[in-house]
Amino acid sequence: MKTLIAYYSRTGMNETVCKELQNKLGAEIEAIIDTKNRKGFWGFITGGFDAAFKIMLEIKPIEKDPSNYDLVIIGTPIWAGVMAPAIRTYVSNNNDKFKKIAFVSVSGSGADNQKAVTDFANLSGRKSIANLLLSEKEVKQRSHKEKLDRFIKDILSSD
């Protein structure tokens, strides 16, 4: 299954997990770049505001066409209970190009962010074949391997 991992990562936590997935799946990867400065305290505050109000914003042009892939794994932090604005824009702009989708997130709350899975499903108009919600603590302590392997198994069994 030809797989693309498209992710946004403000702090590097989602990038870390998405690159682990890339290595394990032999997938291609693309960072989604927010054109708004999200660094520091004000970046955190405006990011939460934009996420809470589900604001679409400009992202840098993507290089990989999602329609060329059997599966697109979307990686995003969760801000204010929903996906980051850059990913909201990416999914909205490319929704008609996705064949199968899966959802990955690293955030402060991890598995408690089920609302974000619903938000993702509502925006994409489809159910993801697998979801992985990790906490920052799990990733920092490297205790997420079992969940990551289960996610990969779920993806591979969907073929």
Side-chain angles (χ1 to χ4, degrees):
M1 174 172 10
K2 188 173 180 186
T3 303
L4 171 65
I5 301 169
Y7 73 91
Y8 173 79
S9 188
R10 179 180 172 271
T11 64
M13 298 300 285
N14 281 277
E15 179 179 31
T16 296
V17 170
C18 287
K19 286 186 174 181
E20 285 180 56
L21 282 169
Q22 177 191 23
N23 290 334
K24 289 181 177 265
L25 292 169
E28 294 186 39
I29 196 163
E30 178 159 31
I32 306 305
I33 309 295
D34 187 340
T35 60
K36 200 170 187 178
N37 183 353
R38 300 288 184 195
K39 293 181 180 171
F41 176 75
W42 287 113
F44 173 79
I45 296 298
T46 60
F49 177 86
D50 289 349
F53 288 97
K54 299 182 178 180
I55 293 174
M56 300 290 207
L57 49 81
E58 186 178 341
I59 58 175
K60 290 190 178 178
I62 59 172
E63 296 177 7
K64 296 174 176 26
D65 182 348
S67 66
N68 293 331
Y69 299 87
D70 303 309
L71 169 66
V72 178
I73 299 171
I74 306 291
T76 182
I78 303 302
W79 298 346
V82 295
M83 67 188 88
I87 290 297
R88 179 171 302 285
T89 300
Y90 175 80
V91 171
S92 181
N93 289 351
N94 294 286
N95 198 18
D96 60 334
K97 298 178 181 179
F98 301 140
K99 295 171 186 150
K100 290 182 182 179
I101 54 173
F103 184 72
V104 175
S105 176
V106 180
S107 65
S109 299
D112 291 338
N113 278 318
Q114 290 299 319
K115 177 182 168 188
V117 174
T118 303
D119 180 46
F120 180 65
N122 289 340
L123 180 62
S124 68
R126 69 194 80 190
K127 186 177 178 189
S128 59
I129 63 169
N131 299 306
L132 177 61
L133 300 174
L134 298 171
S135 70
E136 292 175 359
K137 182 178 178 182
E138 288 173 304
V139 176
K140 286 178 182 174
Q141 293 179 347
R142 308 289 306 149
S143 63
H144 65 291
K145 183 184 178 336
E146 185 178 316
K147 289 182 180 180
L148 190 72
D149 289 343
R150 188 172 38 244
F151 176 75
I152 291 169
K153 183 179 177 186
D154 290 346
I155 287 172
L156 296 176
S157 69
S158 75
D159 256 355

